[in-house]
Amino acid sequence: MNKDKVFEYIDSKSELFATLSDKVWDAAELRFTEKVSAELISKALEDEGFTVERGIGKLETAFCGRFGSGKPVIAFLGEFDALPRLSQKAGIPSKEESVAGGNGHGCGHNLLGAGALAAAFGVKRYLEESGREGTVIYYGCPGEEGGSGKVFMVREGVFDGVDCALTWHPADHNEVTATSYLASYTVNYRFRGTSAHAAANPEAGRSALDALELMNIGVQFLREHIPSEARIHYAITDTGGSAPNIVQSTAEAVYQFRAPQLHQAAAIYPRLNKIAEGAALMTETEVDIRFIRASSNTLPNTVMEQMLYENMAALPYPTVPDSEKEFMAAISATLPPADSTNWGEVLPYVPSSASRPASTDVGDVSQVCPTAQLDGAVWPANTPMHSWQAVAVGKSETAHRGMIFAGKALAATAIDLFEQPEKLTAAKEEFLRRTAIAPYTCPIPADVMPDMPKQKQAASFGRCS
Ligand SMILES: [Zn+2]
Ligand SMILES: [Zn+2]
């Protein structure tokens, strides 16, 4: 069976994938609450003949759909979670909320989940028609944005037995993801003091806000003494109140810190804790430290990346339909002037050991099996991730076309891996070489549970944040 037949099959189901993506866009569910989205994709897998398992990895909205038997086992990773406070009407070129204060698919995970599903359907068709031994698994991975859902899944052994994994991310260009993402941690620091009248009884007060300020100053001095490419970000999520005549008895900040290698990020964690404890000691307050999430740096796999590139380059590039040219031009007019080469072609593949200044929970999958990913153009050039523009074009025919393109490239690469076992062997050898340098340990402790969103989420910590 040649790839064209698989592409035809994916095309024949393109309406289904577009509808699914749009319904996930409509549902716009935050991390670990994606019940509607997870069920939509699970049901589509069942209807297609996959054996579906729900609630895997101790996560209610994680699932997998499996087809075939025996080796090799090739996995596609799908995401479907949205972002807080990014509600936006679809199909209009101006910022306008659809639901006041609502969520939105500013990272295109509606397209990501449906595009990976297209790949899984294509490979199932290939396995059926070719009669070849092997298994394809679609992993429904919840809570990428601020949740590191895949890391919890890795921790629970969900990917054990998988030979390799493929995925993609919506973007403003077509390119194999050749650079590595940073390892990343998120930790919450909550200070508790004693309130008092700030003028009448200042000696009775112990300010949690003072402690938080001292912690931030301490971290400011720490920044000089971490690896150059490491980053420490913070957001104050509780100032203790708005009345200056009350000594603030609570204050809270969430810190996110990243580094090219997991061990480098892990080394920052105890140093932050010491600063927080020092700040508490200085102010006679107490600090509660709550580990939220962590994800590892991604391990590149040049064997699979080269295969992805060849399959992307062999496909016709997706184009903007005439009916949407005006809309896309109007969206582009709201963005910085674009490099026109980003759109409508596949950028050259250049293997790289560099890190990109972002993080993803795909990192931990890449630490337990050979993994490769691509960026697929679904947005006009220069569209930032996590922007209203990304939400506005998320249901467009242009985005649907980009999603199908990505699905076909992923499916074709999986077929090559089935057809050319020597390539899979080479990918595994590369994976073993890379993991031998720094053997993997899951960065999320065994007792840490997924962080559910609060009603008013202050920030998101996904790969694009
Ligand atoms: Zn994303
Ligand atoms: Zn994101």
Side-chain angles (χ1 to χ4, degrees):
M1 188 187 189
N2 63 33
K3 290 176 188 169
D4 286 339
K5 287 194 171 167
V6 170
F7 299 152
E8 281 168 24
Y9 185 69
I10 290 173
D11 283 333
S12 75
K13 297 259 180 181
S14 61
E15 202 63 27
L16 170 78
F17 303 128
T19 303
L20 257 180
S21 173
D22 289 357
K23 286 183 175 175
V24 172
W25 189 101
D26 290 337
E29 296 163 297
L30 298 183
R31 63 175 187 270
F32 304 124
T33 69
E34 316 94 330
K35 291 183 185 174
V36 171
S37 305
E39 187 52 34
L40 280 166
I41 302 173
S42 297
K43 176 77 167 46
L45 283 161
E46 277 175 343
D47 290 348
E48 183 69 8
F50 284 76
T51 303
V52 174
E53 200 181 334
R54 293 170 172 81
I56 61 174
K58 298 182 184 171
L59 299 174
E60 187 181 358
T61 50
F63 59 93
C64 68
R66 183 185 295 263
F67 181 84
S69 61
K71 289 280 197 176
V73 178
I74 297 183
F76 296 108
L77 312 176
E79 299 171 12
F80 37 81
D81 59 325
L83 287 152
R85 295 189 299 189
L86 262 184
S87 176
Q88 164 67 32
K89 288 184 179 170
I92 63 164
S94 58
K95 189 175 187 314
E96 199 175 323
E97 279 185 322
S98 173
V99 177
N103 312 322
H105 268 288
C107 214
H109 293 182
N110 55 312
L111 298 155
L112 201 172
L117 189 74
F121 278 28
V123 172
K124 172 182 177 277
R125 183 71 166 179
Y126 159 78
L127 289 173
E128 279 175 330
E129 295 289 323
S130 67
R132 184 174 286 274
E133 185 181 341
T135 305
V136 57
I137 306 179
Y138 177 97
Y139 281 102
C141 307
E144 195 281 330
E145 299 286 3
S148 294
K150 294 181 198 70
V151 189
F152 288 96
M153 293 166 78
V154 168
R155 189 182 75 179
E156 301 305 321
V158 161
F159 298 99
D160 290 356
V162 171
D163 288 298
C164 65
L166 291 161
T167 190
W168 75 294
H169 200 282
D172 66 348
H173 60 281
N174 295 307
E175 185 180 28
V176 173
T177 312
T179 48
S180 178
Y181 286 85
L182 302 175
S184 163
Y185 281 68
T186 303
V187 181
N188 206 69
Y189 294 89
R190 184 164 187 78
F191 292 91
R192 286 179 288 113
T194 308
S195 63
H197 192 289
N201 306 95
E203 71 282 0
R206 297 292 180 269
S207 172
L209 184 59
D210 287 355
L212 183 55
E213 288 198 70
L214 286 166
M215 177 180 180
N216 289 343
I217 291 166
V219 173
Q220 182 61 10
F221 283 102
L222 174 66
R223 285 192 175 93
E224 190 185 354
H225 304 286
I226 56 174
S228 299
E229 289 175 290
R231 297 283 184 274
I232 306 178
H233 327 291
Y234 73 98
I236 296 177
T237 50
D238 176 13
T239 60
S242 56
N245 61 348
I246 303 172
V247 173
Q248 293 84 357
S249 63
T250 61
E252 185 180 85
V254 60
Y255 269 83
Q256 184 181 14
F257 44 98
R258 323 182 198 228
Q261 301 296 322
L262 181 64
H263 69 87
Q264 294 171 318
I268 293 171
Y269 181 37
R271 300 174 77 188
L272 277 191
N273 292 349
K274 283 179 191 169
I275 291 170
E277 285 157 5
L281 189 64
M282 281 190 278
T283 52
E284 296 183 309
T285 58
E286 292 180 10
V287 61
D288 299 322
I289 300 169
R290 188 165 69 93
F291 189 105
I292 306 287
R293 54 152 296 281
S295 57
S296 300
N297 51 295
T298 48
L299 286 181
N301 192 286
T302 56
V303 174
M304 287 168 62
E305 286 165 5
Q306 181 66 37
M307 296 170 78
L308 262 183
Y309 172 73
E310 285 165 13
N311 281 299
M312 288 175 83
L315 281 165
Y317 311 137
T319 54
V320 180
D322 289 343
S323 59
E324 289 185 349
K325 282 187 172 150
E326 201 177 318
F327 169 53
M328 292 300 166
I331 289 281
S332 292
T334 69
L335 301 166
D339 175 355
S340 60
T341 60
N342 283 352
W343 184 262
E345 65 170 341
V346 175
L347 296 176
Y349 169 56
V350 183
S352 171
S353 58
S355 297
R356 67 169 72 186
S359 306
T360 172
D361 61 6
V362 174
D364 291 71
V365 180
S366 79
Q367 297 278 350
V368 295
C369 68
T371 302
Q373 14 179 4
L374 65 87
D375 289 335
V378 299
W379 304 318
N382 275 348
T383 301
M385 291 176 170
H386 299 196
S387 66
W388 67 263
Q389 291 94 337
V391 189
V393 302
K395 291 173 93 172
S396 63
E397 171 65 21
T398 305
H400 294 153
R401 289 183 181 186
M403 169 184 82
I404 295 296
F405 173 81
K408 287 178 181 174
L410 294 175
T413 303
I415 291 167
D416 285 343
L417 287 160
F418 280 112
E419 296 272 332
Q420 301 167 48
E422 69 280 6
K423 289 273 179 73
L424 183 56
T425 301
K428 285 184 169 185
E429 285 171 356
E430 180 177 350
F431 168 78
L432 291 173
R433 278 199 306 278
R434 291 184 185 276
T435 48
I437 298 166
Y440 176 71
T441 305
C442 183
I444 298 182
D447 60 345
V448 171
M449 299 306 290
D451 184 57
M452 303 299 283
K454 296 183 183 72
Q455 200 60 35
K456 283 193 175 179
Q457 183 65 32
S460 150
F461 318 103
R463 91 179 74 192
C464 331
S465 50

